[in-house]
């Protein structure tokens, strides 16, 4: 049915809207079928402590293992999920799978905190904290401290009062928050003061040319100093080169994530990767020397 009713209560027939709704329903059916048949998967990318070189956790990143198209990156299907209004359904699937994965790694003797990416429309659901608590209760062996929620900076700023309230409620459950893609939201750094997040992730666009862009270097340096001054942990995203690591070490960045350390990988590859990651891995040697 048409969403918009006219001034007198008449609905104007809009063939485009019918088409959109039909397409939306078709997408919804496809995505739900894909969820049910196990075509969605979480891959995990390690985060390492820059000072110690230790693996301190993983970010869960969704993949669609499409029967015809192979692995699709989220950029290709997240808009579809959003337009089908399935942000909540998919987001809750992500949280459940991540919690089950934390429990599985724990059972193998490894405590690996996992962060999940949450869409703004999902985070801003009034019952988000309640439903999160229920999902946590499904995994009594997993401490809520093992889970972190990543919210893109722009999303958190959409409705800062609501975002703050929700993140506060999550924090009371023991689940911490991270501001993702930091620096892309044109926000004042002082916003950070108001947001109950423990972690700030510097967007990869500032890291990419760090070795030869003086402006990026200045921006990254300022973000690190300010965020740490406010008691936050700083993660650099998109650390692709050893040079990035070297510079970030010198700037006292806390954590790093990127292809220079590891690409996102299926869950089954993660513990073998952790076992193979030693302080004399090339990337870590270079950064250790820089300290
Ligand atoms: P993000 O949360 O900022 O995740 C980081 C993205 O950068 C990931 O792309 C990751 O694979 C990629 N990346 C990591 N290291 C490097 C590097 O060194 N170089 C380069 N060029 N890229 C690197 P991915 O997996 O394609 O995800 C893209 C975005 O999609 C994510 O950005 C996140 O905003 C969103 N996303 C991913 N998974 C989920 C999910 O489960 N739910 C929601 N709502 N969004 C998700
Ligand atoms: Mg993220
Ligand atoms: Mg990011
Ligand atoms: Mg991003």
């Amino acid at each position: 049915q048409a969403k918009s009713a006219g001034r007198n209560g008449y609905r104007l027939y809009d063939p485009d809207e019918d088409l959109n709704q039909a397409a939306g329903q078709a997408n919804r059916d496809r995505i739900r079928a894909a969820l049910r048949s196990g075509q969605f998967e979480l891959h995990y990318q390690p985060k390492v402590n820059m000072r110690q070189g230790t693996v301190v956790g993983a970010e869960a990143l969704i993949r669609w293992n499409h029967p015809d198209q192979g692995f699709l990156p989220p950029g290709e299907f997240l808009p579809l999920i959003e337009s089908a209004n399935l942000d909540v359904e998919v987001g809750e699937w992500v949280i459940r799978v991540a919690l089950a994965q934390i429990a599985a790694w724990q059972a193998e003797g490894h405590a690996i905190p996992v962060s999940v990416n949450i869409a703004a429309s999902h985070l801003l659901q009034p019952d988000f904290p309640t439903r999160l608590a229920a999902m946590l209760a499904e995994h009594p062996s997993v401490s809520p401290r093992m889970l972190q929620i990543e919210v893109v900076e722009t999303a958190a700023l959409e409705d800062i009062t609501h975002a703050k309230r929700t993140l506060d409620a999550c924090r009371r459950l023991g689940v911490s928050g991270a501001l993702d893609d930091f620096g892309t939201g044109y926000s004042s750094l002082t916003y950070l003061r108001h947001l109950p997040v423990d972690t700030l992730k510097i967007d990869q666009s500032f890291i990419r040319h760090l070795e030869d862009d003086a402006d990026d270097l200045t921006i990254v340096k300022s973000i690190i100093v300010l965020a740490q001054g406010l008691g936050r942990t700083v993660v650099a995203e998109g650390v692709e080169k050893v040079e990035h690591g070297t510079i970030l070490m010198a700037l006292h960045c806390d954590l790093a994530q990127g292809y220079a350390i590891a690409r996102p990988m299926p869950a089954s590859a993660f513990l073998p990767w952790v076992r193979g990651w030693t302080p004399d891995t090339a990337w870590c040697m270079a950064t250790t020397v820089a300290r």
Side-chain angles (χ1 to χ4, degrees), residues 5-291:
R7 236 196 315 164
N8 303 315
Y10 293 109
R11 292 209 184 103
L12 296 177
Y13 176 70
D14 177 354
D16 277 353
E17 195 164 336
D18 267 9
L19 267 178
N20 284 340
Q21 292 210 343
Q25 188 55 50
N27 277 340
R28 209 151 27 238
D29 293 345
R30 278 171 58 208
I31 293 160
R32 285 201 170 122
L35 262 182
R36 268 197 308 273
S37 61
Q39 290 174 25
F40 286 108
E41 251 178 60
L42 293 185
H43 282 195
Y44 297 86
Q45 187 178 36
K47 291 180 216 170
V48 301
N49 179 305
M50 299 208 79
R51 271 174 288 279
Q52 288 140 16
T54 46
V55 180
V56 296
E59 176 176 8
L61 296 155
I62 196 167
R63 301 288 181 260
W64 187 344
N65 193 0
H66 197 280
D68 311 320
Q69 292 163 267
F71 270 109
L72 297 176
E76 285 185 29
F77 61 86
L78 286 177
L80 225 65
I81 289 174
E82 199 188 336
S83 66
N85 279 321
L86 288 174
D87 279 335
V88 173
E89 236 170 278
V90 173
E92 292 196 347
W93 177 86
V94 168
I95 293 171
R96 285 202 166 87
V97 172
L99 287 171
Q101 190 59 62
I102 296 169
W105 281 331
Q106 233 168 242
E108 290 189 65
H110 290 262
I112 310 209
V114 171
S115 61
V116 293
N117 294 280
I118 297 297
S121 56
H122 184 190
L123 184 84
L124 298 178
Q125 293 291 315
D127 59 352
F128 183 86
T130 318
R131 296 189 59 93
L132 179 60
M135 290 184 276
L136 286 164
E138 291 167 14
H139 293 278
S141 69
V142 173
S143 160
R145 293 183 204 290
M146 297 295 282
L147 187 70
Q148 186 175 59
I149 284 170
E150 295 194 10
V151 187
V152 291
E153 184 198 8
T154 43
L157 296 174
E158 255 176 46
D159 184 348
I160 195 155
T161 314
H162 189 167
K164 180 181 167 349
R165 212 183 315 127
T166 302
L167 289 166
D168 264 328
C170 292
R171 182 178 266 184
R172 281 195 297 276
L173 294 173
V175 175
S176 63
L179 267 193
D180 205 350
D181 298 358
F182 192 83
T184 58
Y186 305 104
S187 69
S188 155
L189 279 167
T190 58
Y191 263 117
L192 204 50
R193 228 166 29 138
H194 303 295
L195 278 172
V197 292
D198 296 336
T199 303
L200 187 151
K201 302 187 78 175
I202 304 175
D203 190 65
Q204 50 190 51
S205 59
F206 299 104
I207 308 296
R208 193 166 299 136
H209 308 293
L210 200 55
E211 73 279 26
D212 48 36
D213 188 315
D215 290 345
D216 284 347
L217 184 66
T218 302
I219 292 167
V220 168
K221 197 190 289 182
S222 317
I223 293 177
I224 292 172
V225 168
L226 192 120
Q228 289 177 343
L230 294 173
R232 272 41 169 214
T233 299
V234 184
V235 186
E237 300 190 301
V239 177
E240 286 185 356
K241 299 180 181 171
V242 169
E243 292 110 290
H244 298 155
T246 312
I247 296 166
L248 288 160
M249 276 298 281
L251 299 179
H252 304 281
C253 185
D254 301 297
L255 310 181
Q257 197 184 335
Y259 294 170
I261 301 153
R263 289 179 178 259
M265 59 190 99
S268 60
F270 198 84
L271 287 188
W273 181 86
V274 171
R275 290 186 197 107
W277 170 262
T278 60
D280 45 315
T281 306
W283 176 82
C284 202
M285 276 249 286
T287 53
T288 304
V289 169
R291 274 300 282 198

